[in-house]
Amino acid sequence: MYFHPLQEEIGNMSDEDISKRIKDLTRKVAIARRDRNPEMLANLQHVLNTYRNAIRERRIEEWHKNNKKLRGEPDIGELINID
């Protein structure tokens, strides 16, 4: 799903690629702040927040998955019996 022309397809990116992109965008945001370009800054911040949210959602999902395993809860797929 594309949110912005500067943004790639996040679903197909690895966590490492997203982290690299966040680092690069953070640097570009700092440059836009120094150059006092509010339009560019707003666009970059929007894209940066999108990548940050994506990585946060992935980490939360992984945490929930690991927590279920630790508690011994079965996956929904294991609860459904199709005969």
Side-chain angles (χ1 to χ4, degrees):
M1 160 176 11
Y2 291 99
F3 292 104
H4 194 277
L6 298 175
Q7 176 184 320
E8 298 137 276
E9 178 64 42
I10 294 175
N12 298 333
M13 296 176 72
S14 69
D15 288 353
E16 184 179 324
D17 290 338
I18 292 174
S19 295
K20 286 179 184 178
R21 190 74 173 131
I22 288 171
K23 184 178 178 181
D24 181 49
L25 286 167
T26 302
R27 183 181 57 79
K28 290 178 180 179
V29 164
I31 292 169
R33 277 193 183 121
R34 280 191 303 242
D35 290 344
R36 298 176 192 254
N37 186 340
E39 186 176 320
M40 175 71 79
L41 180 60
N43 286 328
L44 289 169
Q45 286 176 326
H46 175 72
V47 176
L48 179 59
N49 288 334
T50 303
Y51 281 104
R52 285 180 175 163
N53 288 336
I55 201 79
R56 183 177 331 133
E57 288 173 12
R58 286 183 182 189
R59 288 179 180 157
I60 290 171
E61 184 179 318
E62 187 65 30
W63 181 83
H64 282 292
K65 192 184 303 180
N66 289 337
N67 240 4
K68 282 184 177 183
K69 287 179 184 176
L70 291 174
R71 289 189 310 240
E73 293 180 17
D75 277 344
I76 297 292
E78 295 173 6
L79 295 175
I80 299 172
N81 186 6
I82 301 175
D83 289 326

